[in-house]
Amino acid sequence: LSASPFSRFKRVIWYVRNDAHFFGYMLSYILRFLQGLLSNVATFFLIFTSVTAKDVVLNFAAINFISGIDETAFASVLKGRFGQKMKKKALQVKTKQLPEYVTDKRHPLLRTYILTFFTLIAMCTFAFAFVLVPQMSGEFLVEQYR
């Protein structure tokens, strides 16, 4: 048995890059997870707080517009419009190869699939409760369809 639960992860990161910092990579993975989780939560609230279908479409159009601005800004930096130093750093970011994930060699994707499955089950249960509880209390009860 290893002394640390992350010893295999440390060996893989060290293999990728000799001067790698374990906590930097762990922070990177945690932030990627949080980014995906927060985007799902934001999408969930955009859908369920919109009153009409038009509001849903407009909200997602606004998100797409902001995302387009981000992509345009990065493309401008890659073209060198903000200086050569920023262009060099942007090229490093674009071409940097990171390991996609680190898994157990005996069961390569099993842990990833199980974690994803239970995360989706928890999100669906939360969404179901978010809709079902107000309907059962009569807050969202529609007696007549227009």
Side-chain angles (χ1 to χ4, degrees):
L1 292 175
S2 64
S4 168
F6 298 111
S7 62
R8 182 180 180 282
F9 183 77
K10 286 180 184 178
R11 285 194 309 269
V12 170
I13 295 302
W14 196 258
Y15 176 75
V16 172
R17 185 171 172 180
N18 288 338
D19 63 342
H21 299 287
F22 172 71
F23 291 107
Y25 278 98
M26 285 299 292
L27 179 63
S28 171
Y29 285 120
I30 290 168
L31 289 176
R32 286 186 210 178
F33 175 76
L34 287 177
Q35 179 185 14
L37 181 68
L38 289 175
S39 69
N40 285 333
V41 168
T43 301
F44 174 78
F45 282 115
L46 279 176
I47 291 171
F48 284 105
T49 58
S50 298
V51 178
T52 65
K54 180 181 175 183
D55 290 340
V56 173
V57 172
L58 289 176
N59 286 335
F60 282 102
I63 289 176
N64 192 24
F65 178 74
I66 298 298
S67 177
I69 290 174
D70 180 51
E71 295 294 326
T72 303
F74 189 73
S76 296
V77 171
L78 282 174
K79 290 180 182 177
R81 293 187 179 156
F82 295 99
Q84 292 301 315
K85 189 174 181 180
M86 286 187 73
K87 178 180 180 180
K88 183 179 175 184
K89 289 291 182 184
L91 285 171
Q92 286 177 351
V93 168
K94 184 177 181 181
T95 59
K96 180 70 177 169
Q97 295 291 324
L98 294 176
E100 292 182 15
Y101 51 83
V102 179
T103 60
D104 188 8
K105 288 183 180 178
R106 295 173 301 213
H107 309 287
L109 295 176
L110 185 62
R111 290 182 187 170
T112 305
Y113 289 146
I114 289 173
L115 180 64
T116 303
F117 175 74
F118 283 116
T119 302
L120 289 173
I121 292 296
M123 289 174 63
C124 289
T125 303
F126 178 72
F128 183 69
F130 186 78
V131 172
L132 184 67
V133 170
Q135 284 182 348
M136 295 296 284
S137 66
E139 291 179 36
F140 292 137
L141 186 61
V142 177
E143 294 177 3
Q144 182 180 1
Y145 182 73
R146 295 182 195 176

